[in-house]
Amino acid sequence: KAGVTQTPRYLIKTRGQQVTLSCSPISGHRSVSWYQQTPGQGLQFLFEYFSETQRNKGNFPGRFSGRQFSNSRSEMNVSTLELGDSALYLCASSQGQATNYGYTFGSGTRLTVV
Amino acid sequence: GENVEQHPSTLSVQEGDSAVIKCTYSDSASNYFPWYKQELGKRPQLIIDIRSNVGEKKDQRIAVTLNKTAKHFSLHITETQPEDSAVYFCAADSGGGADGLTFGKGTHLIIQP
């Protein structure tokens, strides 16, 4: 079956702009989690969506938001981009909570803010 | 919240030797401890995981051990091969799973021919 699909793969944006990233989970998976990966901070949890509801949120500013649609596809939005938002954004798909089912990661969206 | 420390940050071993990566965690409520392998430019992939009711788990050349009392867990790779070269991340579930996974900073494993 198809894996986790993230689009676009690469993005270059200017400071102050906003950006929307998309993630399509594995068919049948209802949980989508988002992580930010940077060389300095490693992998950091952004939020988790399950059945269209945000279940958990990490320690990121309100500029980071997301949503999940009825088909389980999820979008992540970052407004008023800052240089420090440059990172690889990874989406993780799961049947349920990661503790019980584990994650399958997508290939990520590489965001560069200039 | 959960804090996961991972050591070493870089590990170089001769092909055929064993490699050990260690992690400690802070939240005694954590019950799930996965390990991910990330090759350069690729996505992290789950290679093995362990739950708190088990002390050790093996899958071919890979094993993970867990000591809940000491709050540490380790990844063991035996008979290392060139394709084992990658960054390895340990993780623990946060808040009993309520706050996603907390990852260690990663170990860059280099297999010397």
Side-chain angles (χ1 to χ4, degrees), chain A residues 7 20 25-26 29 31 43 53 56 61 86-87 90 92 95 103 112 114:
Chain A
T7 57
T20 299
I26 291 171
H29 284 194
S31 169
L43 282 148
T53 301
N56 304 300
S86 294
L90 290 162
Q95 293 179 32
Y103 284 149
T112 302
V114 298

Side-chain angles (χ1 to χ4, degrees), chain B residues 2-112:
Chain B
E2 176 71 280
N3 182 47
V4 176
E5 300 282 343
Q6 183 172 348
H7 300 280
S9 57
T10 304
L11 178 60
S12 181
V13 301
Q14 290 293 125
E15 183 179 347
D17 287 351
S18 296
V20 180
I21 302 171
K22 299 181 179 182
C23 290
T24 60
Y25 63 97
S26 60
D27 187 355
S28 57
S30 292
N31 287 307
Y32 175 64
F33 308 91
W35 286 87
Y36 287 85
K37 175 184 180 182
Q38 188 174 29
E39 297 177 59
L40 189 62
K42 296 192 176 181
R43 63 188 179 92
Q45 289 193 284
L46 178 68
I47 55 172
I48 196 167
D49 56 14
I50 193 167
R51 300 182 192 283
S52 59
N53 59 345
V54 176
E56 183 176 3
K57 184 176 178 180
K58 288 184 180 179
D59 183 3
Q60 300 183 337
R61 296 185 298 107
I62 293 172
V64 58
T65 57
L66 171 65
N67 183 327
K68 281 218 75 177
T69 303
K71 295 184 191 169
H72 68 71
F73 57 114
S74 301
L75 177 72
H76 304 254
I77 305 174
T78 59
E79 300 172 12
T80 54
Q81 301 169 4
E83 54 265 37
D84 295 330
S85 293
V87 179
Y88 291 80
F89 294 94
C90 62
D93 62 326
S94 307
D99 299 322
L101 294 177
T102 298
F103 286 83
K105 291 284 172 53
T107 296
H108 185 193
L109 177 62
I110 301 166
I111 308 300
Q112 303 279 7

Side-chain angles (χ1 to χ4, degrees), chain A residues 40-62:
Chain A
Q41 298 299 317
L43 282 148
Q44 293 188 286
F45 174 69
L46 281 155
F47 27 65
E48 179 197 3
Y49 286 87
F50 183 83
S51 294
E52 302 179 65
T53 301
Q54 186 181 88
R55 193 153 66 174
N56 304 300
K57 188 174 182 351
N59 189 25
F60 277 82

